[in-house]
């Protein structure tokens, strides 16, 4: 609990200091950033909370400083859930307001748009998530929320009815949970680009899993739930305008298990969006603008063969104090891999310093391996793949991937998405 106390007193956002008089207890809580979202999205979450009972929605209404438009937020705050609901509590600065929902549920509105300070563009959605998650973390520490899971999602997500009950069934020893997901279409958002992009997300994670990486999980902020004590250990969401979910999970993986759930699945409404600088929305826009979306680039499949061998090398290096060159000589790579390329990239990642640290701090092979796996985290894994790409292992197109012939051949979900791509594009039909 020391990490929790230190985090809340030193690193949590100022909004948490307004909660001492918060009046109500809830079973579960979910954080949802709202930026340029319609009232119908808020109504959908309020309906779900009312159905579940004793559920708290923490909605962080926010905008970047570069966007002065607040009309959408005014419409949100005059919609039925807010207008018709009774105000149960309000912070002294009036920027937090608790609205009563049916079945002992509540809607906590956090204003970082109208009267509250807009969010620095550099901090973006990462800060919006952090504000909401910090609030829930404080409420959990104050026993105002009984569940240990800080659920996170986005306004375009449709949570299943069993979402909260599934959280109650999870072991509290995990650091974070990742829900499965799929994109659904409710408007004229281009289907083929969206399915292709979803394929690319599964492609990368399946490649990591095949290689044996401990960082093989999806990193979508709308699909994760974090144990509040682990959340405090890593000092909350990074304040970034994008990839905050990726970096948070990479840190959490060093404190406990990241559990990828098999069910229930979250529906994500496909849409073209520029709310964040990169991610699903911008990627779909770019693919939709392409004359040949099926040439979408993917990391070369052999990247994962290199990764698989490198992870085996780390296990070898943890056993005895040798340098990377000696380890490669002892554990000869497959003939298809270029050992010189691997050694060059290892040097660029400063593996010698990592080895020096792990041999100094780790008294046993197991502890040394843990040090090496923490060093070679999710970020360094991605950097490893990028270095391979930039130094000769060029990306392949989606069409080339379909031709096969690689050691890494994908998984069931990728095959399902490929079938949808074929149906939408007419590829291989008629």
């Amino acid at each position: 609990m020391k990490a929790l106390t230190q985090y809340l007193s030193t690193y949590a956002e100022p909004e948490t200091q307004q909660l001492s008089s918060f009046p109500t207890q809830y079973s579960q809580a979910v954080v949802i950033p709202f930026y340029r979202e319609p009232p119908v999205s808020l109504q959908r979450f309020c309906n779900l909370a009312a159905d579940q009972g004793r559920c708290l929605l923490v909605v962080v209404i926010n905008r970047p400083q570069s966007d002065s438009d607040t009309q959408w937020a005014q419409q949100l705050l005059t919609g039925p859930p807010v207008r018709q609901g009774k105000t149960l509590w309000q912070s002294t600065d009036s920027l937090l307001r608790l609205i009563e929902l049916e079945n002992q549920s509540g809607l906590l509105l956090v204003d970082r748009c109208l009267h509250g300070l807009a969010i620095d563009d550099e901090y973006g959605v990462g800060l919006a998530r952090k504000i909401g998650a910090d609030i829930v973390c404080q409420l959990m520490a104050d026993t105002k929320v009984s569940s240990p899971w800080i659920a996170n999602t986005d306004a375009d997500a449709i949570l299943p009815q069993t979402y909260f009950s599934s959280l109650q069934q999870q072991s509290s020893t995990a650091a974070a949970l990742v829900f499965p997901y799929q994109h659904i279409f409710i408007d004229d958002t281009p289907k083929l680009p969206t399915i292709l992009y979803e394929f690319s997300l599964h492609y990368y994670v399946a490649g990591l899993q095949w290689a044996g990486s401990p960082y093989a999980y999806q990193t979508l902020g709308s699909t994760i739930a974090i144990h509040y004590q682990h959340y405090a250990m890593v000092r909350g969401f990074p304040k970034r305008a994008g990839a905050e979910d990726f970096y948070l999970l990479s840190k959490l993986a060093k404190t406990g298990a990241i559990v990828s759930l098999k069910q229930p699945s979250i529906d994500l409404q496909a849409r073209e969006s520029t709310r964040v600088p990169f991610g699903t929305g911008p990627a779909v826009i770019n693919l939709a603008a392409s004359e040949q979306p099926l040439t979408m680039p993917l990391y070369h499949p052999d990247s994962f063969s290199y990764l698989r061998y490198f992870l085996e090398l780390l296990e070898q290096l943890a056993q005895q104090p040798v340098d990377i060159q000696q380890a490669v000589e002892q554990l000869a790579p497959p003939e298809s891999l270029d050992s010189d390329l691997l050694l060059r990239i290892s040097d660029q990642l400063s593996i010698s310093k990592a080895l020096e640290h792990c041999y100094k701090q780790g008294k046993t092979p197991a502890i040394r391996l843990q040090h090496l796996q923490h060093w070679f985290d999710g970020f360094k894994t991605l950097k490893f793949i990028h270095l391979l790409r930039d130094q000769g292992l060029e990306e392949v197109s989606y069409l080339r991937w379909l031709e096969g012939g690689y050691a890494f051949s994908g998984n069931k979900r990728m095959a399902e998405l490929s079938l949808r791509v074929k149906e939408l594009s007419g590829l291989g039909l008629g």
Side-chain angles (χ1 to χ4, degrees), residues 253-323:
K254 301 173 187 180
T255 71
I258 308 295
V259 178
S260 296
L261 303 178
K262 296 188 181 301
Q263 59 181 358
S265 186
I266 296 173
D267 289 339
L268 302 179
Q269 299 176 62
R271 59 185 185 181
E272 296 175 295
S273 170
T274 57
R275 290 172 176 82
V276 292
F278 50 88
T280 304
V284 169
I285 290 175
N286 291 335
L287 280 170
S290 171
E291 294 182 359
Q292 295 180 311
L294 295 180
T295 62
M296 174 187 70
L298 299 167
Y299 297 123
H300 197 292
D302 289 347
S303 302
F304 303 113
S305 295
Y306 275 93
L307 177 61
R308 189 173 191 166
Y309 174 67
F310 186 74
L311 292 172
E312 292 173 357
L313 273 181
L314 294 185
E315 293 187 16
Q316 177 85 359
L317 288 163
Q319 295 298 319
Q320 53 184 322
V322 296
D323 61 28

Side-chain angles (χ1 to χ4, degrees), residues 31 58 60 110 127-137 150 231:
V31 177
V58 180
V60 183
V110 184
L127 178 53
R129 290 197 197 281
K130 186 175 187 296
I131 291 168
D134 284 1
I135 287 172
V136 174
C137 190
I150 305 174
Y231 177 81

